[in-house]
Amino acid sequence: MAENKEGLDDYLDNHYIHRSNWLRAAVLGANDGILSTASIAIGVAAASTVKEPVVLATVAGLVAGALSMAAGEYVSVSSQTDVEKADIEREKQELEEMPEIELQRLAQIYEERGLKKETAQRVAQELTEHDVLGAHVRDELGINEISQANPIQAALASGAAFTIGGALPLFVALVLPLENLEYYLYGFAIVFLVLLGAMAAKAGGSSIGKAVLRITFWGTVAMGLTALVGYLFGVNV
């Protein structure tokens, strides 16, 4: 019996949904790191006659972006966690004040999912006897261990991914000459985005082609508009 349970746990661990929280934050961070720093570098390079301002702007964008991304993820996910905790506390109060109504609500949820009325009532009753709060949190509020927010995990994943992603355009800006640098940055950034899209799709079990097309299209739009701003202003930095 124990071996069967262990085998079932190992089987369930292979599902991609278990990676959703950290994968979302990591992909967002890396994508933003590549796009933000490359766009900044392209915009400044398009309006500059010397290389130093390009490197300085890219470093500043990398540092500020990584810290902002980590802080933003932590604050936003913490807000989500606060909402979840508030709902759980409210559910506890409702279970104390009107347990019969809550039992019928749980049974109705199972009935709407396809169970017969008698079966839904029996399932709701048994789950209530086993773990009443857990049943309502999971099935009424839709909160479970997989989807539950983790602020620190999201912040670390997003900040680290932004730093790694942003370091790639910075390296290009450091090693390549100023002449046509914006084109070099655009080309390498597209390559980086393609690799990121492919790795994210592979990790998430989705279509690689669709992910690559999506990430390169919006990356091109972002970098193209930034370069246009640099050319339009034509400021020599």
Side-chain angles (χ1 to χ4, degrees):
M1 186 70 177
E3 291 180 358
N4 290 337
K5 185 178 184 303
E6 184 178 350
L8 181 60
D9 290 340
D10 291 341
Y11 171 75
L12 292 175
D13 284 341
N14 293 326
H15 284 282
Y16 297 110
I17 191 64
H18 293 274
R19 307 173 182 175
S20 60
N21 281 335
W22 66 261
L23 183 60
R24 178 196 62 82
V27 171
L28 176 62
N31 180 75
D32 202 18
I34 294 170
L35 275 182
S36 296
T37 54
S39 296
I40 290 172
I42 288 171
V44 177
S48 181
T49 56
V50 290
K51 191 175 179 179
E52 285 76 10
V54 180
V55 175
L56 178 61
T58 307
V59 171
L62 171 59
V63 174
L67 295 176
S68 176
M69 180 65 70
E73 279 286 339
Y74 183 82
V75 171
S76 63
V77 176
S78 293
S79 298
Q80 179 184 340
T81 303
D82 291 342
V83 171
E84 292 173 352
K85 289 180 179 178
D87 265 350
I88 292 173
E89 289 300 319
R90 180 178 177 181
E91 192 63 32
K92 285 181 181 179
Q93 183 177 354
E94 291 176 349
L95 287 170
E96 291 176 0
E97 296 176 353
M98 42 186 175
E100 289 301 321
I101 294 178
E102 287 296 315
L103 175 61
Q104 294 307 314
R105 182 178 299 174
L106 194 61
Q108 183 180 2
I109 290 172
Y110 298 140
E111 189 176 350
E112 290 173 352
R113 290 181 182 176
L115 295 180
K116 294 180 180 179
K117 186 172 183 177
E118 296 78 8
T119 306
Q121 187 69 37
R122 186 165 64 251
V123 170
Q125 183 66 49
E126 290 184 7
L127 287 176
T128 296
E129 293 172 358
H130 174 68
D131 181 7
V132 59
L133 180 61
H136 282 270
V137 167
R138 180 181 60 253
D139 295 319
E140 185 180 345
L141 302 182
I143 302 173
N144 55 55
E145 293 180 357
I146 296 175
S147 64
Q148 201 163 17
N150 187 325
I152 295 179
Q153 182 189 59
L156 291 176
S158 188
F162 187 101
T163 302
I164 294 171
L168 299 174
L170 174 60
F171 178 75
V172 174
L174 285 170
V175 300
L176 294 179
L178 180 63
E179 185 178 359
N180 297 322
L181 181 58
E182 58 268 37
Y183 300 109
Y184 291 131
L185 284 164
Y186 169 77
F188 277 102
I190 290 298
V191 172
F192 299 147
L193 289 172
V194 167
L195 293 174
L196 172 63
M199 288 189 295
K202 182 69 174 176
S206 58
S207 169
I208 293 178
K210 186 184 294 186
V212 168
L213 180 63
R214 180 172 57 229
I215 202 169
T216 52
F217 172 77
W218 290 110
T220 297
V221 171
M223 290 183 288
L225 290 175
T226 310
L228 180 62
V229 170
Y231 280 119
L232 287 178
F233 281 88
V235 179
N236 290 331
V237 182

